[in-house]
Amino acid sequence: MLGQWRLAWQLARRFRRGRERSRFLSFISASSTSGIALGCMVFITGLSVMNGFSEVLQERFLKLVPHVEFNAVEGRLDYPETIFALATDHPEVTDAWPLIHTQALVQQGRDFVGVQVTGLDPEREHAIKDYLKEQQWSALTQPNTVILGSGLAQKLGVARGDSIRFVVAAERGFQAPKRMQLTVIDTFEFGGQFDHQLAYVNLATARDFVGLDSGFSTVALAVDDLFSAERVANEIGYQLRDYVYLEHWMRSQGHLYRDIQMVRMVMYLVLILVLAVASFNIVSTLVMTVQEKQRHIGILRTMGLRTSSLMQVFVLQGLQNGVFGVFAGVLAGVLLSLNLPLLLNALERLSGSTLLASDVYFVNQIPVLLDWRDVLVVAAVGLLMSLLATLYPAWQAARIDVVQAINA
């Protein structure tokens, strides 16, 4: 059996490299190899970018976005201790902390900029602390202080130590809006929309914003499995005595994750289609080779070469194009994925513009994460499509009449 495959391999190499082979046939063969290589390279790179976006979303973005939130319908939570007790007892909840959310306008001269203000307890650890420029987290305990996103601070033209005026609408009736003067103690740079939207204050300052004398309006939870957030929110929320809005990240930010997964699925479908089109060239190459090598096929059959061995010859000949194309495409795709951030940074410097505007997208640069499982899947699909493309020409070669082939 091994000798049979060795003979088939030698004949396949001879047919592929034969001197009498036409230039057009060589061109078609090279096109099939190049098409498979290009397809593998593009899709390994594309899937690596999708992996990068997914990692940034799960590992960075969702550190600043609470996984689950219980927001009071009106005013403050009357029984927050119940939420903390249920969260402590729930096996999938890793942390719980109080918050106050509100919307405000920042007045700078005659201009107003909308800001999402979050009041939190500075005595607790928070993920935003890792992105502060001057690490002035402890100063947030002082009254009437604020931490701004770097993009927001730049838009307002303020820096650390400057004062800015916040305007907050009255909670009830037609009262005049409340105006508060806050001091900027630090700015954070996350890289994305948050830098242009968020401002952090302590709970006491946030109470002044919303008109609470004590307590807070929101309890946020972190869960160990991001995709169980909705279930955890329902399990705890249905046991509460307060009237609350149940919020979780899949509702507020889930469209980002769904978009990434949808693009990934579309890329897999396109991968199959592109490689199938590239494999058609293998079919064309082998069909033309069978017509060109009829006399050789007839001679080999009269010398005792069996039909199965003849089919193996053309299967191996076609697989050579696939193997070479997959190898070159995988190698190029891996190298391009590993160096893509450097190439994109160089492109941004040369063009003077950014590919992802930080005030529009949740990240300000294209992330890349190479997953070797994707590499294996792309390589396997390429080899499978190449193998399938060889079956019809090999079957056609096996059906050639020996006498007619010799006399051709």
Side-chain angles (χ1 to χ4, degrees):
M1 177 64 84
L2 183 60
Q4 180 179 345
W5 279 101
R6 184 179 302 169
L7 174 61
W9 172 254
Q10 292 175 350
L11 291 173
R13 292 184 61 188
R14 182 69 61 85
F15 282 177
R16 189 170 186 269
R17 298 181 179 180
R19 293 182 178 179
E20 66 277 11
R21 196 179 192 187
S22 68
R23 292 183 179 181
F24 179 72
L25 192 57
S26 299
F27 173 76
I28 296 296
S29 178
S31 298
S32 65
T33 303
S34 301
I36 293 173
L38 184 60
C40 291
M41 180 191 71
V42 169
F43 286 104
I44 288 175
T45 306
L47 291 173
S48 297
V49 172
M50 291 300 102
N51 292 337
F53 277 112
S54 182
E55 183 194 37
V56 169
L57 176 65
Q58 297 183 43
E59 301 297 330
R60 289 185 57 206
F61 188 77
L62 292 181
K63 284 185 178 180
L64 302 186
V65 176
H67 302 162
V68 177
E69 283 187 332
F70 301 104
N71 299 309
V73 174
E74 289 187 4
R76 67 181 180 187
L77 294 169
D78 295 324
Y79 306 100
E81 66 279 355
T82 303
I83 302 178
F84 287 112
L86 291 172
T88 301
D89 294 337
H90 200 286
E92 297 183 64
V93 177
T94 58
D95 196 8
W97 62 95
L99 293 175
I100 296 177
H101 291 305
T102 189
Q103 303 290 330
L105 293 175
V106 177
Q107 183 177 358
Q108 193 69 11
R110 295 185 177 180
D111 297 328
F112 289 88
V113 179
V115 182
Q116 179 180 340
V117 180
T118 299
L120 44 78
D121 184 0
E123 299 295 334
R124 298 175 54 92
E125 289 293 323
H126 195 275
I128 196 62
K129 181 179 177 181
D130 298 333
Y131 302 98
L132 297 180
K133 290 185 176 180
E134 302 293 338
Q135 290 296 318
Q136 297 293 315
W137 180 254
S138 59
L140 193 61
T141 57
Q142 301 173 9
N144 297 329
T145 55
V146 62
I147 295 175
L148 297 178
S150 59
L152 181 60
Q154 183 178 4
K155 185 175 183 179
L156 296 171
V158 297
R160 179 184 170 192
D162 293 342
S163 294
I164 55 176
R165 179 175 295 178
F166 282 78
V167 180
V168 185
E171 290 293 319
R172 297 180 179 85
F174 296 95
Q175 302 175 9
K178 182 181 296 185
R179 299 174 184 271
M180 297 184 62
Q181 197 80 12
L182 304 185
T183 302
V184 179
I185 59 171
D186 204 352
T187 60
F188 67 88
E189 187 171 0
F190 174 79
Q193 290 176 319
F194 285 162
D195 294 349
H196 300 263
Q197 297 175 349
L198 297 187
Y200 290 95
V201 298
N202 58 43
L203 286 176
T205 303
R207 291 189 188 103
D208 292 338
F209 269 92
V210 299
L212 293 179
D213 54 359
S214 63
F216 40 86
S217 59
T218 301
V219 172
L221 307 182
V223 296
D224 54 2
D225 181 9
L226 295 174
F227 302 101
S228 67
E230 181 176 6
R231 177 173 51 80
V232 171
N234 292 333
E235 290 175 355
I236 295 178
Y238 294 153
Q239 304 179 59
L240 300 182
R241 300 169 62 185
D242 279 293
Y243 290 105
V244 297
Y245 294 113
L246 303 182
E247 295 290 343
H248 50 83
W249 76 270
M250 287 296 292
R251 178 177 296 168
S252 61
Q253 306 294 338
H255 63 281
L256 297 174
Y257 179 79
R258 288 190 292 270
D259 290 347
I260 292 172
Q261 297 306 312
M262 182 183 67
V263 172
R264 178 191 293 274
M265 292 303 300
V266 170
M267 289 192 67
Y268 274 120
L269 293 177
V270 175
L271 165 66
I272 295 176
L273 294 177
V274 169
L275 291 181
V277 172
S279 298
F280 285 153
N281 285 334
I282 296 180
V283 177
S284 302
T285 302
L286 293 181
V287 169
M288 294 175 66
T289 302
V290 169
Q291 296 299 322
E292 188 179 70
K293 303 291 185 181
Q294 285 195 38
R295 182 180 295 274
H296 298 79
I297 293 172
I299 294 174
L300 290 172
R301 290 294 305 277
T302 58
M303 294 176 62
L305 186 68
R306 292 184 293 182
T307 302
S308 59
S309 299
L310 183 61
M311 293 183 65
Q312 291 172 6
V313 170
F314 287 95
V315 168
L316 291 175
Q317 182 181 348
L319 274 179
Q320 290 181 61
N321 291 349
V323 170
F324 294 151
V326 168
F327 177 78
V330 166
L331 181 61
V334 170
L335 292 176
L336 181 58
S337 298
L338 294 177
N339 294 281
L340 188 60
L342 297 176
L343 296 176
L344 294 177
N345 289 336
L347 180 61
E348 288 181 346
R349 288 195 299 268
L350 291 175
S351 63
S353 61
T354 57
L355 297 176
L356 295 179
S358 60
D359 58 341
V360 177
Y361 302 97
F362 69 96
V363 291
N364 59 356
Q365 58 183 359
I366 296 179
V368 178
L369 176 63
L370 181 64
D371 190 339
W372 292 104
R373 290 173 297 185
D374 290 332
V375 175
L376 293 177
V377 168
V378 172
V381 172
L383 292 175
L384 178 61
M385 299 302 292
S386 301
L387 175 62
L388 294 177
T390 65
L391 297 181
Y392 172 74
W395 174 75
Q396 188 182 47
R399 295 177 63 248
I400 290 179
D401 183 81
V402 178
V403 177
Q404 293 182 357
I406 293 177
N407 295 329

